[in-house]
Amino acid sequence: MRYPADQKAETHRQIVAAAAAEFRCKGLQGIGIAELMSQLGLTHGGFYAHFKNRDALVMEASVCAATESLDRLLAAATDVPAGKEVEAMLDFYLSPAHRDDVAHGCLLPALASEIARQSESVRNAFTESLQTNLAKIARYMPARDSDGRMAQAMTLISGMAGGVLIARAISDSNLSDVLLNSVRMQLLGLYSAWQA
């Protein structure tokens, strides 16, 4: 039975979105294709009508997760006074709410270490997506040239992701909160120094 193209596209989108959330929560090996498809009310065999293989899904889900995360980060920078965008992004990203929302949180602390062990095609898709997202964050950096702004964006996102990664691993919620705030204050101080 053939389905209309728009229905197939919507099903494809649902599979990618569900995989993006499940991978962030459970890791790349934490859910199988059969289980993922079953959660969506689809058959395991139907997966291959949408994807060549598991790597193709991991690639798309990684890009989807990174895009969703960046959209949420940049949304935090809207409707704030000019010059306060980075502070707003730090407040959002290094918050207990973002730390605890693994399914919708940033891809980097959830999956970067696993993506490093994936196929070259998966790593290439991750790299391309990261470069695109870094360029969007770099717009808020104060360096005088594009290379400097990109370097500042890399530093900022690495510190933010590392902070959330460690905060999620800490079993003591108070200590985890202290760590998030400490990283936030240090990165805000670094950003202020860049502006000087």
Side-chain angles (χ1 to χ4, degrees), residues 54 67 141:
R54 183 176 173 75
T67 302
M141 298 299 109

Side-chain angles (χ1 to χ4, degrees), residues 155-171:
T155 300
L156 196 69
I157 199 67
S158 296
M160 291 163 53
V164 170
L165 172 76
I166 296 168
R168 285 179 178 166
I170 295 172
S171 63

